[in-house]
Amino acid sequence: MSKLITRRGLVGAFAAGAGSLLAGCDRLGDDPTFRKGLLFRGDDWNRSLQRLLSNRDAPAREYRPDQMSPVFRTNGTRDPGTPDYAAHVASNFVDWRIPVDGLVNRPTAFSVAQLRSMPLRAQITRHDCVEGWSAIGKWTGPRLATLLDVAGVKDSARYIVFHCADRLGRARRPYYESIDMVDALHPQTILALALNDRALSVGHGAPVRLRVERQLGYKHAKYVQRIEAVASLDGIAGGKGGYWEDVADYDWYAGI
Ligand SMILES: Nc1nc2c(c(=O)[nH]1)N[C@H]1C(S)=C(S)[C@@H](COP(=O)(O)O)O[C@H]1N2
Ligand SMILES: [Mo]
């Protein structure tokens, strides 16, 4: 979270002018977070200002089909490699279920078929990995917001955590990632079922992976097997909100 924290100084400096900025900004009127009145709730004040100043609602750039990369490489885990995952591959993920739980009113487990039957969004975006490569591809899937709506995410939820089916490193720690509600509800945040019009390959995170455009590659959790709404990241694994955040001190907010 270092970026959020380091921006606080900046945010404070702009606070005096924020009232007039807010008044002139109709765009906020459409936003569920703002409608719920979160904006003026003490602790969220800085976060909301930070969002306003950095324009966190802005869409990521989308590209034309002719700009798509001929090859989209894979990175990190290329196959979770467990007997359980192999069985799901063999049965084409018919029994794969993604529970959405934690701070929700109606915990719900979604099958891949259910996700496929939701309104789907397709977006051609650029993936940027910290290791120094990028690729442009077309991702298709339902918005995360749709699932959160079905499950009835509570107002007390501040983060959405993605628990993955793979384990990494010598310690075999499970991969996981998390995002805040600004990114969770963003229209381009989807649970991708397909890359370039084909069902996700094992290498790219079959059957379901997160796309959180405007953040770096490691935030895009592959092999999503559980989605949890939480008020704090403290109790989860190393407490820093993601596998790489825990083991290598990567920034939690990996904005591009
Ligand atoms: N579950 C899981 N998700 C993951 C990773 C991983 O190792 N495990 N690697 C991350 C990194 S660093 C990148 S760059 C992208 C790579 O996605 P791709 O293999 O589809 O190109 O996945 C991200 N999501
Ligand atoms: Mo990456």
Side-chain angles (χ1 to χ4, degrees):
M1 291 212 224
S2 50
K3 263 198 189 159
L4 270 174
I5 291 160
T6 54
R7 280 186 192 164
R8 290 201 170 190
L10 174 78
V11 160
F14 281 91
S20 49
L21 244 174
L22 284 171
C25 197
D26 321 322
R27 188 169 46 79
L28 298 179
D30 305 332
D31 190 302
T33 315
F34 284 89
R35 270 207 305 276
K36 281 181 199 153
L38 266 178
L39 179 57
F40 297 104
R41 211 187 274 169
D43 216 25
D44 292 306
W45 173 237
N46 253 323
R47 198 164 55 122
S48 301
L49 264 179
Q50 192 268 346
R51 169 183 182 180
L52 192 69
L53 295 169
S54 61
N55 201 9
R56 296 256 331 264
D57 291 318
R61 176 166 174 201
E62 295 194 18
Y63 295 77
R64 299 185 309 269
D66 62 280
Q67 293 174 301
M68 279 159 54
S69 303
V71 176
F72 200 119
R73 57 164 289 185
T74 57
N75 200 41
T77 301
R78 293 184 168 87
D79 185 340
T82 62
D84 190 56
Y85 184 80
H88 282 294
V89 173
S91 64
N92 211 11
F93 300 102
V94 286
D95 297 321
W96 191 269
R97 293 291 179 279
I98 303 179
V100 177
D101 58 21
L103 295 173
V104 299
N105 292 316
R106 299 173 291 277
T108 308
F110 295 91
S111 68
V112 178
Q114 282 171 318
L115 298 185
R116 230 183 266 125
S117 70
M118 291 175 167
L120 303 181
R121 190 176 202 286
Q123 55 204 34
I124 302 175
T125 54
R126 195 183 71 196
H127 179 98
D128 295 305
C129 172
V130 278
E131 290 169 35
W133 60 275
S134 298
I136 296 174
K138 177 181 177 185
W139 300 97
T140 308
R143 287 181 56 183
L144 174 61
T146 306
L147 280 75
L148 296 180
D149 213 36
V150 173
V153 66
K154 296 184 179 176
D155 285 354
S156 51
R158 295 190 60 168
Y159 304 97
I160 302 297
V161 182
F162 302 86
H163 298 277
C164 306
D166 57 322
R167 292 171 174 267
L168 263 79
R170 270 207 301 164
R172 311 302 299 156
R173 296 167 76 120
Y175 201 93
Y176 78 104
E177 259 304 340
S178 60
I179 58 178
D180 65 14
M181 298 309 293
V182 177
D183 276 327
L185 300 177
H186 190 282
Q188 287 170 317
T189 298
I190 63 172
L191 289 165
L193 303 165
L195 170 60
N196 298 346
D197 295 317
R198 292 162 156 234
L200 281 190
S201 63
V202 168
H204 286 298
V208 177
R209 66 98 53 81
L210 175 67
R211 289 301 305 174
V212 51
E213 313 296 352
R214 303 167 313 140
Q215 290 209 53
L216 290 168
Y218 60 87
K219 299 296 291 186
H220 301 236
K222 306 196 277 189
Y223 318 109
V224 173
Q225 64 169 15
R226 179 182 167 211
I227 297 173
E228 185 188 10
V230 299
S232 160
L233 299 170
D234 288 348
I236 298 159
K240 292 184 180 169
Y243 173 84
W244 287 112
E245 290 87 329
D246 285 340
V247 307
D249 226 26
Y250 280 23
D251 279 342
W252 173 79
Y253 186 74
I256 295 171

